[in-house]
Amino acid sequence: MNKFIITVLTQDRPGIIAHVTRILFELGCNLENVNQMILQTQFAGLFLVEAPESMDKEHLRQTLTTRSEGRDLVIHVNTLEESHETGMDAHGDIFLITTIGPDRKGLVAGFSDILAAYRANIVNLKAVFKGGIDPRDNVMSYQVWVTPDMDTAAMFADLRKKADELGLDIRIQHKNIFDAINKI
Amino acid sequence: MFEDHEIISTIEMVKNEHLDVRAVTLGINLFDCISHDLDTFRHNIRKKITGHAGALKSVCDAVGDKYGIQVVNKRISISPIALVGAAFSADQMVEIAHELNEIATAVDIDFIGGFSALVEKGMATGDTALINALPRALAETQRVCASVNVATTKAGINMDAVLQMARAIKQAAELTADQDGLACAKLCVFANIPEDMPFMAGAYLGVGVADAVINVGVSGPGVVKRAIERNLENGPMTLGNIAEVIKRTACKVTRVGELIGREVARELDVRFGVVDLSLAPTPTVGDSIGEIFQALGLSHIGVPGSTAALAMLNDAVKKGGAFASSHVGGLSGAFIPVSEDLNIAQAAHQGFLSLEKLEAMTSVCSVGLDMVPVPGDITEECLAGMIADEMAIGMINAKTTATRIIPVPGKKAGDSVYFGGLLGEAKIMAVPHMADASLFVHHGGRIPAPIHSLKN
């Protein structure tokens, strides 16, 4: 098993995924998972590939970089450790922690510090800050993996206290309620 | 990951549109508690109810916290007392009501329903005792709710029972005159009562149901109203499309209720029963059935078009709920309780909604004349006539109808009454010809079942 995770960053435009996946195909890599997102004008892509046994990380990185000259791509390649534990192997639940309210510096750092202190893993984070008074324009939503051994009552209390300090409305709800309402 | 609009809309449904679970009701079968000895019976029912319901409130609160959806009421429904307590006299029935009230207080639930009798085809000893006990039982307790089914499409209308219920209502009102006849707010007279029903005040546990079962009643008029308004903000819509919006919204609300109900059932290790899809208001602005009518373009509930609008609303709620859950029961549809809905109470006070229009609307809604305060000097005959009319609508149309009428002692039409909490407040509605004491209801006997009752 020879797996790599490739990160590609660049200005968003048509053809980025086609370019990267073409090279990977020609190198004999099997694409196992791709995730991409666009933040305002910037493209970020993650490509999980299984490469031929003979291929090493440096060769893969060099090939991708050389063949991408002039395209202004920032490319990183890392070896994927199969045995790495994410903290999500144990029993647990996903909660959505959503804050709505005025933008200011340090919001994400403030809340993620608390989550980290309780060893709660953030599995997804969306933060949109557009300013203004429309609450929809300043929303942070964390999907957090919560395991039974965590002191969730204390963690949720700390999060609520933090939100109170920052003048934010906070909602902490199990993911299933969003599934029930939205995934029909 | 959820889209931004999915996260925001879910949060707004809870925060601004009053999405909640109206009630989680634990049904408990009391047939194995039966005894001829009152003390033994009381001991048995206390042991059984507290055994099952001890953790009901804490579990509901914990599950509500987990999902960010409040469970507004925690309730218990029990086997009809007229059946399980058939051996007892009216005075003993009152003692049973006291016992139930104490149990409800001990386990910290809001209401216990099932002080009930089914008398559509006639009254047995236990039924008579229970009906005779009703005024004191309801006046001397706070959390006990009662219902009596006096008519069905199959059996017709038991007019003896109708008149007795009119008397019981008047007496219950007199006994709680200092509280504007509050006891009557805990008493429903039914036609075609569902065979098992989790919704108060008529709730009871059906005979063919498991030993203990969790039922859930969803609400959400505020969510429906906002969904209609949001869609209309984007341009004109046909009523067919609006019905589709209501249906989809009801589906979402029902899924929330079922999710929470099933988790409570799992935590308590009892079966999950049904979701009652009822669209029930609270006396809060923004959580009103009446405001849905205004969102639909009617100036007030009660103006021409209201019956058609209610028919559409009721049907769409049932359809959306039926898609969301395979286990639907109870009343399932839209309620139009006068005092419990600020907007409806105001429409009645301003003259847009008369008693006659209210009665007409009950032919297409889920319940009937619900939480209607009327003058205290209404005659028994007039009250019985109102009940009989409502029962006839249910009997002929093969649907559930009910009355929860409160003759407020010492007060007249236009006076204010305040019942508190979810029961709300209202002005007393005018009843045309309320001094009428015609002989019709004194004939007694049973109005025969309609021809379509012969279907089997």
Side-chain angles (χ1 to χ4, degrees):
Chain A
M1 205 64 72
N2 193 21
K3 291 194 180 182
F4 298 103
I5 185 88
I6 301 158
T7 311
V8 177
L9 305 172
T10 187
Q11 181 85 13
D12 187 40
R13 59 182 180 274
I16 302 165
I17 290 180
H19 169 73
V20 174
T21 54
R22 165 60 56 183
I23 300 170
L24 293 171
F25 169 66
E26 289 172 3
L27 287 170
C29 295
N30 184 34
L31 205 53
E32 289 194 348
N33 217 330
V34 181
N35 209 333
Q36 73 135 89
M37 68 179 301
I38 298 164
L39 277 179
Q40 296 188 356
T41 61
Q42 295 301 303
F43 170 94
L46 289 169
F47 302 77
L48 175 62
V49 298
E50 184 176 356
E53 285 296 334
S54 57
M55 186 179 296
D56 64 21
K57 182 174 93 170
E58 187 52 27
H59 175 67
L60 179 58
R61 190 194 65 78
Q62 266 189 0
T63 307
L64 283 163
T65 305
T66 305
R67 293 185 57 179
S68 300
E69 275 178 16
R71 290 176 181 266
D72 193 27
L73 302 188
V74 178
I75 298 171
H76 293 281
V77 179
N78 283 321
T79 305
L80 195 71
E81 300 295 339
E82 281 289 320
S83 60
H84 181 69
E85 290 184 6
T86 63
M88 291 179 60
D89 306 324
H91 292 294
D93 291 295
I94 290 180
F95 279 74
L96 262 75
I97 298 163
T98 310
T99 64
I100 303 174
D103 185 18
R104 68 168 71 178
K105 288 176 187 169
L107 292 184
V108 176
F111 286 101
S112 54
D113 273 351
I114 295 171
L115 295 169
Y118 286 93
R119 300 192 55 75
N121 195 15
I122 300 171
V123 297
N124 216 322
L125 165 62
K126 273 192 129 177
V128 179
F129 302 115
K130 295 181 185 169
I133 56 168
D134 186 343
R136 292 163 183 261
D137 287 343
N138 296 296
V139 177
M140 287 195 299
S141 184
Y142 303 79
Q143 282 192 29
V144 178
W145 182 253
V146 174
T147 55
D149 58 326
M150 292 176 188
D151 186 353
T152 49
M155 179 171 73
F156 292 163
D158 283 353
L159 289 165
R160 289 193 175 100
K161 188 177 165 203
K162 187 72 175 174
D164 202 35
E165 286 169 13
L166 298 169
L168 299 174
D169 183 21
I170 188 168
R171 300 277 156 174
I172 302 171
Q173 294 170 285
H174 194 280
K175 173 180 170 286
N176 285 356
I177 204 74
F178 293 86
D179 282 333
I181 290 175
N182 297 296
K183 309 292 185 195
I184 296 170
Chain B
M1 188 63 182
F2 298 96
E3 299 294 327
D4 293 350
H5 70 88
E6 292 175 329
I7 294 169
I8 291 283
S9 70
T10 302
I11 287 172
E12 284 194 348
M13 283 169 79
V14 178
K15 188 181 164 198
N16 299 324
E17 298 166 14
H18 308 285
L19 174 64
D20 51 39
V21 169
R22 173 74 170 219
V24 167
T25 306
L26 172 61
I28 302 173
N29 187 310
L30 297 185
F31 276 89
D32 56 352
C33 300
I34 290 174
S35 169
H36 275 75
D37 179 70
L38 182 60
D39 287 339
T40 306
F41 181 70
R42 289 172 64 160
H43 170 78
N44 290 347
I45 61 174
R46 177 177 281 269
K47 186 177 173 191
K48 181 147 192 191
I49 296 171
T50 53
H52 280 293
L56 176 63
K57 183 174 186 299
S58 58
V59 167
C60 286
D61 287 343
V63 173
D65 280 348
K66 177 177 174 181
Y67 292 108
I69 304 277
Q70 187 190 8
V71 178
V72 180
N73 277 289
K74 297 88 182 173
R75 300 167 171 177
I76 293 171
S77 66
I78 52 175
S79 308
I81 289 294
L83 297 181
V84 295
F88 301 116
S89 67
D91 286 343
Q92 289 173 315
M93 290 280 189
V94 174
E95 288 191 53
I96 293 169
H98 280 284
E99 183 72 39
L100 292 171
N101 197 59
E102 287 170 20
I103 295 168
T105 307
V107 296
D108 200 13
I109 53 101
D110 300 284
F111 287 113
I112 185 164
F115 200 78
S116 304
L118 310 169
V119 299
E120 61 273 8
K121 215 168 180 177
M123 278 184 271
T125 313
D127 302 321
T128 306
L130 183 125
I131 291 173
N132 289 336
L134 277 172
R136 278 189 57 208
L138 294 174
E140 295 172 13
T141 63
Q142 294 76 46
R143 304 187 194 207
V144 174
C145 289
S147 57
V148 177
N149 192 65
V150 300
T152 67
T153 299
K154 286 280 186 187
I157 304 173
N158 182 344
M159 289 299 291
D160 295 319
V162 168
L163 188 56
Q164 283 198 40
M165 288 310 298
R167 287 177 181 148
I169 290 168
K170 286 274 285 181
Q171 289 168 14
E174 290 296 338
L175 290 175
T176 47
D178 57 338
Q179 297 170 283
D180 286 337
L182 180 65
C184 302
K186 299 181 286 169
L187 172 59
C188 288
V189 183
F190 272 94
N192 290 322
I193 193 169
E195 62 184 14
D196 170 52
M197 200 173 71
F199 238 101
M200 299 295 168
Y204 73 103
L205 186 79
V207 173
V209 184
D211 197 47
V213 64
I214 281 287
N215 298 306
V216 62
V218 300
S219 183
V223 182
V224 171
K225 180 195 122 186
R226 277 300 298 146
I228 295 169
E229 287 174 345
R230 256 196 308 272
N231 279 274
L232 285 173
E233 282 162 10
N234 296 327
M237 295 176 75
T238 66
L239 288 170
N241 290 337
I242 293 174
E244 182 69 18
V245 168
I246 298 170
K247 193 173 78 176
R248 286 170 183 270
T249 308
C251 182
K252 291 181 179 183
V253 171
T254 306
R255 283 168 62 89
V256 169
E258 176 150 354
L259 173 72
I260 288 177
R262 283 192 180 279
E263 183 140 340
V264 170
R266 192 164 54 246
E267 292 288 323
L268 291 175
D269 195 25
V270 298
R271 281 187 187 207
F272 179 74
V274 298
V275 184
D276 189 319
L277 308 174
S278 297
L279 209 54
T282 63
T284 308
V285 174
D287 199 25
S288 158
I289 303 285
E291 289 175 34
I292 296 176
F293 284 70
Q294 292 178 324
L296 289 169
L298 294 162
S299 68
H300 297 82
I301 184 170
V303 302
S306 298
T307 309
L310 182 57
M312 183 184 83
L313 176 65
N314 207 44
D315 180 66
V317 167
K318 285 179 194 285
K319 285 174 177 167
F323 179 74
S325 174
S326 297
H327 298 285
V328 169
L331 295 167
S332 289
F335 286 59
I336 45 170
V338 175
S339 73
E340 292 180 2
D341 185 310
L342 183 63
N343 186 284
I344 296 178
Q346 285 173 346
H349 175 55
Q350 292 162 357
F352 293 104
L353 180 62
S354 66
L355 202 57
E356 295 92 328
K357 183 65 174 179
L358 198 58
E359 182 185 303
M361 291 173 70
T362 65
S363 64
V364 299
C365 82
S366 278
V367 196
L369 294 174
D370 195 19
M371 289 301 289
V372 181
V374 298
D377 57 349
I378 187 172
T379 63
E380 279 177 11
E381 289 81 1
C382 184
L383 197 52
M386 289 170 68
I387 295 170
D389 287 346
E390 196 58 44
M391 299 301 105
I393 290 171
M395 176 183 72
I396 294 295
N397 294 295
K399 72 183 290 294
T400 301
T401 54
T403 63
R404 190 160 47 144
I405 304 172
I406 302 130
V408 183
K411 291 195 175 177
K412 59 184 189 307
D415 289 348
S416 297
V417 286
Y418 176 74
F419 301 117
L422 285 177
L423 299 174
E425 58 188 305
K427 302 281 186 185
I428 292 170
M429 293 187 76
V431 180
H433 318 297
M434 68 170 195
D436 178 70
S438 58
L439 287 175
F440 175 71
V441 294
H442 284 287
H443 288 301
R446 188 150 52 98
I447 293 179
I451 186 70
H452 54 258
S453 68
L454 296 179
K455 182 181 175 185
N456 61 24

